[in-house]
Amino acid sequence: MKNDIWLDEKDLSLDDNSDAFSYPPLISCIKAEQNWDAQADTNETLCQLAELEFAVDEIRQKHANKDQRLDEILDAFYTLWLFSGSSQDVPEYKLNSVCYALSMRSGTNTALGLILVHLLERAQLNASLALSQGEIIVHVACSDEEGYVVEPSSGHQTWYVIPENEDKDKDQDKDQEPMELIFNEESLKLYLSQQKWAFIAAEKFGHALSCVEQLMDILGDDPYERRDRGYLLNQLNCPKMAKDDLQFFIDECPDDPTIEVIQHQIKELADHNNILH
């Protein structure tokens, strides 16, 4: 059986032009980090991941029962490998980094969730990221009617079952936002989007621009990514390119409530160009 621990020479070449979605989501996120951090030690990160994968393989072989397998992996993740959220004064963009989380065993719900889902899938469990009430969680499906929800930072897990005769139109359910499962390329898009805003908050505009460009590789000429790219290009002293992107956004989204702000930014860019000339 092929070993897929990402350690051979071919697999470690994450600086090529391969389709990002030919990798599992966690590996795609590690690959993405090389675009804004040329010093990222990808080989070390993959070696750290491989050690965890080997441990998960042993757990998978020991437990045929999936509930027992899940329990032991979660116990190892939080009490043996000591993954957790962080209360330290660390920039959000670092805590959100999967490379940082693998190295320091600490991170945001997104970073920890991506790692945990990868390991649970390695154990042949039906796991995915999910969004519930605005929070990132890990969902493990046992069937269409039952499964587990895990809070990535603490490891707190909740088992649920949907009764066969449940009336989905009950008043108590009308205001409850359904859980949204996040799969494959959606995981990478979520990761890049969160890193983009974390970099902007830290005024690391070049790093944020890298995230936008990777998102545009996925989404194409998405007007909102063009808007964000325009903002970043302006911050990086590229006014002409910034103006083109902001104008594209206005043309594509004329009813957006931020239009007046964007138009003012374009006027400032035009005035700046006139002064330069």
Side-chain angles (χ1 to χ4, degrees), residues 211-227:
C211 294
V212 170
E213 288 174 340
Q214 292 181 76
L215 282 165
M216 290 180 66
D217 285 341
I218 301 169
L219 300 169
D221 259 350
D222 179 87
Y224 289 93
E225 296 306 328
R226 287 284 297 268
R227 178 199 63 188

Side-chain angles (χ1 to χ4, degrees), residues 17-265:
N17 294 318
S18 301
D19 182 355
F21 308 127
S22 64
Y23 299 101
L26 178 61
I27 306 301
S28 294
C29 293
I30 294 172
K31 177 181 170 68
E33 292 203 16
Q34 290 183 314
N35 289 290
W36 61 72
D37 184 4
Q39 304 303 315
D41 190 345
T42 304
N43 288 6
E44 177 62 25
T45 298
L46 293 174
C47 286
Q48 291 166 347
L49 178 59
E51 290 179 4
L52 300 177
E53 289 178 333
F54 276 130
V56 166
D57 288 346
E58 292 180 351
I59 294 172
R60 183 186 68 206
Q61 292 165 8
K62 185 167 69 171
H63 295 294
N65 181 281
K66 291 188 176 181
D67 291 318
Q68 293 176 347
R69 199 183 309 163
L70 174 64
D71 286 342
E72 184 158 347
I73 290 172
L74 291 178
D75 186 57
F77 193 81
Y78 293 102
T79 64
L80 179 61
W81 304 329
L82 300 177
F83 282 96
S84 70
S86 176
S87 58
Q88 297 182 3
D89 186 18
V90 178
E92 185 78 6
Y93 67 83
K94 276 195 175 181
L95 291 174
N96 203 48
S97 160
V98 290
C99 293
Y100 179 90
L102 279 164
S103 175
M104 304 303 293
R105 305 296 168 92
S106 181
T108 61
N109 276 358
T110 300
L112 295 173
L114 282 162
I115 296 167
L116 181 56
V117 166
H118 180 88
L119 296 175
L120 292 173
E121 288 187 324
R122 175 83 179 195
Q124 297 179 356
L125 296 169
N126 186 6
S128 67
L129 286 182
L131 188 64
S132 177
Q133 298 180 350
E135 297 294 330
I136 295 295
I137 57 174
V138 170
H139 176 256
V140 185
C142 299
S143 69
D144 290 340
E145 291 78 30
E146 60 183 299
Y148 294 90
V149 171
V150 182
E151 202 282 326
S153 293
S154 66
H156 177 74
Q157 61 174 299
T158 305
W159 179 76
Y160 71 86
V161 60
I162 302 173
E164 291 183 6
N165 61 349
E166 181 183 41
D167 182 358
K168 294 183 179 180
D169 293 326
K170 284 183 179 179
D171 290 340
Q172 64 185 38
D173 294 329
K174 286 182 180 178
D175 297 327
Q176 185 173 346
E177 184 179 341
M179 181 168 55
E180 178 186 350
L181 301 183
I182 303 169
F183 297 106
N184 302 323
E185 71 178 63
E186 296 300 320
S187 298
L188 177 59
K189 285 160 59 177
L190 171 71
Y191 183 67
L192 290 170
S193 294
Q194 290 195 350
Q195 280 295 58
K196 173 181 69 176
W197 293 114
F199 283 137
I200 289 174
E203 298 187 355
K204 297 177 77 69
F205 300 122
H207 290 52
L209 181 60
S210 172
C211 294
V212 170
E213 288 174 340
Q214 292 181 76
L215 282 165
M216 290 180 66
D217 285 341
I218 301 169
L219 300 169
D221 259 350
D222 179 87
Y224 289 93
E225 296 306 328
R226 287 284 297 268
R227 178 199 63 188
D228 293 345
R229 189 174 71 175
Y231 166 78
L232 293 167
L233 288 169
N234 188 29
Q235 297 299 317
L236 294 167
N237 296 316
C238 301
K240 184 180 185 307
M241 295 172 65
K243 180 177 178 295
D244 290 343
D245 277 340
L246 295 176
Q247 187 61 54
F248 179 88
F249 174 75
I250 288 177
D251 293 341
E252 293 294 316
C253 304
D255 297 324
D256 189 274
T258 65
I259 283 296
E260 288 187 10
V261 175
I262 303 298
Q263 288 173 331
H264 180 68
Q265 290 175 342

